[in-house]
Amino acid sequence: MAAPLVLGILVAVTVRAVLYRSSLAGFISERVEVASPLNAWKRVVEGLALLDLGVSPYSGDVFHETPLIIYLFHFLIEYSELVFMITDVLTAVALYLAVQDFNKVVFKKQKLLMELDRYASDVAELIRTPMEMHYIPLKVALFYLLNPYTVMSCVAKSTCAINNTVIAFFILATIKGSTLLSAIFLAVATYQSLYPLTLFAPALLYLLQRQFIPVKLKSKGFWLYTTQYAALYLCSLVVIVCLSFFLLNSWDFIPSVYGFILSVPDLTPNIGLFWYFFAEMFEHFSLFFVCVFQINVFFYTIPLAVKLKEHPIFFLFVQLAIISIFKSYPTVGDVALYMAFLPLWSHLYRFLRNIFILSCVLIVCSLLFPVLWHLWIYAGSANSNFYYAITLTFNVGQILLISDYFYAFLRREYYLTHGLYLTRKDGTEAMLVLK
Amino acid sequence: MAGAVAAVLGLLLLLGSPGGSTGPPRDSLREELLLSPLPSGDLAATFQFRARWDSELHREGVSHYRLFPKALGQLISKYLVRELHLSLTQGFWRTRTWGQPYLQAPAGAELWVWFQDSVTDVDKAWKELSNILSGIFCASLNFIDSTNTVTPTASFKPLGLANVTDHHLLRYAVLPREVVCTENLTPWKKLLPCGSKAGLAVLLKAERLFHTSYHSQAVHIRPICRDASCLSVSWELRQTLTVVFDTFSIGQGKRDWSLFKMFSRTVTEACPLASESKIYVDISSKTQENKLLEVTPLPLSVHEASVQGDRRTYAVYDLLSPSLFNVSRSLNVQLKWKRPQDSLDLSTPVLHAQRYVSGYGLQTGEISTLIYNTHPYRAFPVILLETVPWYLRLYVHTLVITTKGKENKPSYIHYQPAQDRRRPHLLEMLIQLPANSVTKITIQFERALLKWTEYTPDPNHGFYVSPSVLSALVPSVIAMKAEDAEQSPLFTSLFPSSDGSSYFVRLYTEPLLVNLPTPDFSMPYNVICLTCTVVAVCYGSFYNLLTRTFHVEEPSKGGLAKRLANIIRKVRGVPPL
């Protein structure tokens, strides 16, 4: 299995290297879909230049990266292309190993449930076999590496790639079962972009499952483990934040990074829903709607945790998707991360209802983004509404994709426990509805 | 008895007079008009009214104002102002065709103030001061706020007496969009002691003054030495007004001009309150022998001065001398060209600059400044001050300065990045200009999308970027001797000169007009509805999936519509649904 992965990595690296040397590199780094005010490479260079001039990078409103990025690129600025290619490779390898391990867990669990007779009798075609699961890790890694979104993100040198690497390592550590490493990587991921805070719940559920601790609110073991994990997470977060303080000897980075993410002052267009909404917002309601939009990212966690407590990795996938869609400055790099997980649910294909139209919507929208941007900004023959419309469509497409996968997942679970060929009381074929 | 009454009266007089033995502070007024033909055939007229008041406004409680206007005096004492410079300008001084200006001002309104070091809250004082000045001069200076105010560190050093120069006491703001009109001229004229009734201010008629290529009126207040020993301080108020007449449109094609042609008035008397009232006409020409210009009436005296590195000759008309109005009651200075095709030789100004925006589209752009040093063999440094509004995000790592193809590193850079909606970018650099060279300074920027309420009512007109300021000590070709400020004409004592080998020049570049991407202003309700719909789609789908479970569908009898359809089918003889 390692050989195809290495081959895939080589192909991916070659594609990126070719694009770096071509004239497309400049064009791609300017694209607002790929580079947002939070993770554009131009702003990293600007922050380092300000530091050279003796001005704090956080004194203006151009630089919104964490001090970790300053520290990293202070030494590695000449090798930036290599750094981004390596991060992509690391993400792919981490996802590969994580999915490999996860498949083993899934298979073991399936075997256990079959022996316990939890499954209905006629669900033989829904049972997953090692044969079909064999190539999934490779598919996941290749889905990430060769996704045009990821390639563009890497060529534009957007620091979203670094965030993805940290999240991938967090997923690997969680699936391997290491509490400490999982907490540390989650802390780094939260420190980098704040929204991975919501991934605490799925990680906790998975680790509990792995330790065979049942999730009962009255159980002492549950609370013990939860507080242990939470304490590790919070301590590492505090340590990282304090280390950042000592880098520039000021707390300026907190309003500049986290205040910026939460209050959305910069209205540069991107593929998300926030920018045009706040550009057209009545000033009186601006604070109210900022709060509403930010709460929207965080409030699906608890209901999803209740519904999906037996399936934490699917919960993780849905949560990652919600973060990518509703975060304040999304880019295609964030979309690429959750799309890498789609091969993991390829067994749900038969239950997906709208996959064809949704994939068409996503592809067409991705192609129309640069066209309508050009018409608005350069040709002057369209206006901002055109670009906004494509943003809306793209986000609706993503939302329906995730809910479609969610529906298919729940439906398969129903069939597994109730049987595939359902009949009504009078013997005719039954329809399944969500009621 | 009479002696006792006299003694009592004398005592009363002594006690009655305020300040004891010293009388009220002395003040004096000098007025001056300088007419200089420009190389391109236009004519520049610079009025200067200078009131000097030997009083310490900050220490004593002053209540008796004579020549110094009360509005400004109260302003200085209340806000502890040390220096105040306000200018309102319409048009742009074309340095390349018109030569070096005596005192240039940027297009729009410019206000810079040095406060005393006893001021505790400079920003508050600045805000109140700009609001009051807005009321006094009927200009929208109340738009000066933190988004267009900067604190320069190297430019705009005090022009008057200064012992402490902490630059945190300085504030500078420019409003490039400000328009100057009669409404601003009237309160400016009201500050003059003689108003527009006597003296040179009689010529200031609005309908002629605004029919010009360049109109700049300014107020400068600064403390100066009272005498050579400089033990005490006097306050000087200079009101300057510079206009450039386009002789083509004024003279209907003929290049001869006269006071009457330009101002539609002539001078009849000097201001009675003025101690000095003079008109200077620049009659210097390259060769002394054949004079190209002829001035009538014949001047009573000729004054030679070295101004801005050049030796110039001026015809002087002293309005206070009794012999001037002997021949006619009014003075109409006329200038005739000997031969119609003559023109003054253009001596290229040693320092001039231009600035422009390049790039296409509404996403990015580049500001380029070109600075020319035409001195044949002397290099000198220049301080460049750029203030760029926050919505044009400058990237200082793209700053490139090239001279003659090679990179030119500035010896001093002060960069203060902008904060969104709070303060603008401030870039100050000290650049060395080699002799006979062109220096190009480029910096890239990104255009921001603003909230729909932050656009002006005509958003597609664009947004103004205030002019950049170049301050330099230009080396002069000839040696200039330092003259006593009181004896020399006013136009030579605008800037303090330290030595005779260089003169101070402050130049402004053009303001820039930059377009920003605009949202659709008719759409706020639609956008809110559509975006909330998308969020609701997500919420709805997830709500369904989270709260509902799968059930096997029970066959239903069918609703009313199905039963009606079945009845109709039975009537038609078709099998039921």
Side-chain angles (χ1 to χ4, degrees), chain A residues 21 80 115 194 252-253 322 324 351 354 427:
Chain A
R21 294 282 164 260
S80 54
E115 277 166 19
L194 196 67
D252 277 347
F253 73 97
I322 289 176
S324 305
F351 302 113
N354 305 318

Side-chain angles (χ1 to χ4, degrees), chain A residues 98 168-179 181-183 185 207:
Chain A
F169 277 126
F170 154 69
I171 295 173
L172 177 63
T174 310
I175 291 185
K176 290 278 188 197
S178 155
T179 318
L181 281 177
S182 170
F185 280 117
L207 287 167

Side-chain angles (χ1 to χ4, degrees), chain B residues 103-231:
Chain B
L103 180 66
Q104 194 187 357
E110 182 203 39
L111 175 66
W112 58 282
V113 175
W114 277 93
F115 289 92
Q116 301 276 354
D117 45 355
S118 50
V119 173
T120 44
D121 191 347
V122 180
D123 290 315
K124 184 158 166 285
W126 169 255
K127 183 104 188 101
E128 291 179 10
L129 182 66
S130 50
N131 275 299
I132 291 182
L133 284 171
S134 158
I136 293 177
F137 290 99
C138 295
S140 325
L141 300 174
N142 53 327
F143 284 123
I144 292 178
D145 55 12
S146 65
T147 60
N148 45 30
T149 307
V150 290
T151 306
T153 55
S155 319
F156 293 104
K157 290 288 177 224
L159 291 178
L161 276 184
N163 44 5
V164 177
T165 51
D166 177 10
H167 67 266
H168 292 110
L169 299 168
L170 167 66
R171 293 289 183 271
Y172 172 75
V174 175
L175 294 172
R177 216 183 157 124
E178 194 60 27
V179 172
V180 190
C181 57
T182 317
E183 230 180 40
N184 309 116
L185 183 65
T186 314
W188 187 91
K189 282 197 292 190
K190 259 175 52 171
L191 295 173
L192 298 170
C194 282
S196 49
K197 308 255 185 330
L200 291 170
V202 158
L203 297 172
L204 299 174
K205 289 297 162 197
E207 69 266 12
R208 304 302 302 168
L209 283 181
F210 288 100
H211 205 60
T212 53
S213 318
Y214 176 81
H215 172 104
S216 170
Q217 60 193 61
V219 167
H220 302 278
I221 302 175
R222 60 180 178 174
I224 53 171
C225 288
R226 205 172 285 191
D227 47 25
S229 60
C230 216
L231 290 166

